[in-house]
Amino acid sequence: MTMTLQAISDRIEINDLLISYCTAVDSGEIDRFDDIFTPDAIIDYSVFGFDRAGLQATKQFLKQALPAVPHKQHMISNSEVQLDGDRATARTLCFNPMAVPLEGGGYQMTCFHLWYVDTLVRTDKGWRISARVEEKSHIFTAEGAIS
């Protein structure tokens, strides 16, 4: 399939947006979500026992929860993007290891294996995610030391 320059540009912009989400979470710069999501976005973390909420509630939750997780990485790949004019959908593989300190020393490492299922819209400020649902593959947990 031959892509137009617009389709190529859209895909690159969407990929950059998906990466921006990972960087914002891992760096704790949650206010960057205002440049990633639409103001009325719904973000659904319920598959892992967290909330399905709007943008502001999600930002508040992450600002409170993430300081307890000093070691985290979001790595994404295999993003399948479907463009439809000013709308798009994407399903993106994510590997998310997180290490939380244990009271007696050491860490609990939890690795979340999931997909982000996104609905995106083109706005006057560029592409934004209007809905995100996390789809679970599996979770792996272990205890140990981090060096």
Side-chain angles (χ1 to χ4, degrees):
M1 164 180 87
T2 303
M3 282 192 260
T4 65
L5 288 177
Q6 183 63 57
I8 294 168
S9 175
D10 289 342
R11 289 173 183 278
I12 291 170
E13 289 178 42
I14 289 169
N15 186 67
D16 286 351
L17 186 68
L18 299 175
I19 291 169
S20 291
Y21 170 85
C22 297
T23 303
V25 173
D26 291 342
S27 67
E29 297 173 1
I30 301 306
D31 285 329
R32 288 180 58 185
F33 277 27
D34 294 333
D35 296 325
I36 297 167
F37 293 93
T38 61
D40 61 346
I42 298 297
I43 303 155
D44 187 346
Y45 296 152
S46 62
V47 73
F48 293 110
F50 302 110
D51 287 340
R52 177 184 186 276
L55 177 59
Q56 295 308 316
T58 299
K59 286 172 51 178
Q60 182 179 351
F61 162 70
L62 291 174
K63 286 178 180 181
Q64 292 173 347
L66 288 178
V69 186
H71 307 287
K72 56 194 163 292
Q73 292 180 319
H74 287 72
M75 294 168 274
I76 58 172
S77 66
N78 300 14
S79 195
E80 186 174 33
V81 176
Q82 302 295 324
L83 297 169
D84 184 16
D86 290 339
R87 299 192 159 284
T89 58
R91 186 170 188 266
T92 305
L93 181 68
C94 178
F95 172 65
N96 175 211
M98 295 180 152
V100 178
L102 296 170
E103 286 185 30
Y107 289 85
Q108 176 176 306
M109 176 65 73
T110 302
C111 298
F112 295 91
H113 301 257
L114 65 138
W115 290 271
Y116 293 129
V117 180
D118 296 321
T119 302
L120 303 103
V121 294
R122 187 193 320 267
T123 72
D124 59 350
K125 295 180 180 178
W127 285 97
R128 297 293 186 265
I129 301 169
S130 61
R132 166 163 281 183
V133 176
E134 291 183 338
E135 185 179 293
K136 179 178 165 183
S137 173
H138 60 282
I139 298 173
F140 175 79
T141 302
E143 290 184 18
I146 293 180
S147 60

